[in-house]
Amino acid sequence: MAAGKEIRGKIKSVENTRKITKAMEMVAASKMRKAQERMRAARPYSDKIRNIAAHLSEANPEYTHPFMESNDAKTSGFIVVTTDKGLCGGLNTNVLRLLTARLKEMQSSGEDAQAVAIGNKGLGFLNRIGVKVVAHATQLGDKPHLDKLIGPVKVLLDAYSEGKVKAVYLCYTRFINTMKQESVVEQLLPLTTDRMQADKNQHGWDYIYEPDAQTVIDDLLVRYVEALVFQAVAENMASEQSARMVAMKSATDNAGSVIGELKLIYNKTRQAAITKELSEIVAGAAAV
């Protein structure tokens, strides 16, 4: 019964694994609801600041913010939003695959890249493929904090303002629903009225600026970019918990299937051993 003992050990091991994945599924489901609430609560603010930024840019055409202008730099920047932990299916793999495709296009055209990594998985990936990481933010926890994101993001914003970076892209996973998440690579800079979805054909916008238009627009557009990054992190966290819950549920179901197969093998092995012993007893009795 050495084989039977080995199979019982495997069954016990898989049962323990199933308990762990079931617990992780339940934890992810609890965190998922909170992450979705935070993500949906942040969406109206992002939409509103997007509209205001577009209206201000249209209302004051005599001043052009640096974020609205293009430059001839040969380097592009990427803000890569991933998770700190794994066990969430292909969530990180999908967005990093899009990033890799974009980097290959840039390399073929002779352009360089630098990145800001938000999340351990993205940081490790960028280091492995040799992309210059100018700043990073990790261990964000289950709730995004803007103060942890401002510093790393500002590095690329300053580089763009100084003409060292041609464009800045935001890579993250957008939450669609519990079963579907979409990997996205969006252009953050340079900003355009199309990117900000201005409704200039419907309204003629005008404002009274205090203290002056430049001060207001400079501050607003920085906050605008920060709001988009914060929303991307919130979307990514909601996607992470949803993907982890689905992945752990699948792992729990698969563990159940494996246990069933192992029990069937164990029963067959045990029955074969019993049959063999009976045959030996009968053969011995017949010989006597």
Side-chain angles (χ1 to χ4, degrees):
M1 290 297 290
K5 184 177 181 180
E6 181 180 352
I7 294 173
R8 287 199 304 270
K10 291 182 179 180
I11 292 174
K12 185 63 176 179
S13 176
V14 177
E15 287 177 343
N16 292 336
T17 301
R18 183 172 63 173
K19 291 178 182 179
I20 295 172
T21 56
K22 183 62 177 179
M24 294 181 67
E25 175 191 348
M26 297 174 67
V27 171
S30 176
K31 291 182 177 180
M32 178 189 68
R33 288 188 288 268
K34 297 178 181 178
Q36 289 180 8
E37 290 173 0
R38 285 192 294 267
M39 176 267 301
R40 293 192 176 98
R43 277 181 176 176
Y45 177 81
S46 299
D47 294 339
K48 190 63 177 178
I49 198 171
R50 179 183 288 110
N51 292 334
I52 292 176
H55 298 160
L56 282 176
S57 66
E58 290 299 317
N60 193 53
E62 68 274 8
Y63 170 67
T64 303
H65 190 276
F67 290 175
M68 303 285 288
E69 298 177 335
S70 302
N71 59 59
D72 297 328
K74 296 297 183 180
T75 301
S76 294
F78 293 86
I79 301 174
V80 184
V81 182
T82 56
T83 66
D84 284 321
K85 302 176 182 178
L87 299 177
C88 50
L91 185 76
N92 294 316
T93 302
N94 293 334
V95 69
L96 293 176
R97 185 182 292 116
L98 283 182
L99 173 63
T100 302
R102 183 62 62 90
L103 291 174
K104 288 182 179 178
E105 293 176 4
M106 292 174 53
Q107 290 175 355
S108 63
S109 60
E111 296 183 9
D112 295 327
Q114 55 183 251
V116 170
I118 300 177
N120 270 326
K121 294 300 180 180
L123 177 60
F125 176 80
L126 293 171
N127 288 330
R128 285 195 299 272
I129 65 176
V131 175
K132 181 181 178 182
V133 179
V134 295
H136 68 273
T138 58
Q139 304 302 327
L140 298 178
D142 297 325
K143 184 178 180 180
H145 297 279
L146 187 58
D147 57 347
K148 293 184 179 180
L149 304 174
I150 290 177
V153 171
K154 192 175 185 298
V155 175
L156 278 185
L157 299 185
D158 291 344
Y160 184 86
S161 298
E162 296 170 2
K164 298 178 181 178
V165 173
K166 178 181 180 179
V168 177
Y169 298 91
L170 178 61
C171 311
Y172 68 101
T173 303
R174 178 184 295 141
F175 179 84
I176 305 299
N177 54 51
T178 303
M179 301 300 297
K180 182 179 180 181
Q181 299 84 37
E182 179 183 10
S183 299
V184 178
V185 178
E186 295 180 344
Q187 179 176 315
L188 280 183
L189 301 178
L191 298 174
T192 64
T193 53
D194 293 337
R195 173 65 181 85
M196 294 185 288
Q197 301 178 359
D199 52 353
K200 59 183 180 180
N201 295 328
Q202 300 179 12
H203 301 281
W205 296 97
D206 195 13
Y207 295 89
I208 298 175
Y209 303 96
E210 182 65 35
D212 58 76
Q214 181 175 348
T215 301
V216 173
I217 294 177
D218 283 351
D219 188 68
L220 178 69
L221 290 185
V222 172
R223 297 294 179 268
Y224 165 74
V225 175
E226 291 174 352
L228 290 184
V229 174
F230 180 85
Q231 180 64 31
V233 174
E235 297 266 355
N236 199 81
M237 286 185 173
S239 300
E240 174 189 1
Q241 299 303 335
S242 299
R244 180 169 291 118
M245 184 194 70
V246 173
M248 292 301 99
K249 184 180 188 306
S250 177
T252 302
D253 295 342
N254 290 338
S257 300
V258 171
I259 290 172
E261 293 175 0
L262 288 175
K263 285 184 176 180
L264 180 61
I265 295 173
Y266 172 76
N267 290 335
K268 288 182 177 180
T269 303
R270 182 170 176 269
Q271 184 64 43
I274 294 173
T275 302
K276 181 180 179 181
E277 291 177 0
L278 289 175
S279 299
E280 291 175 351
I281 293 173
V282 171
V288 172

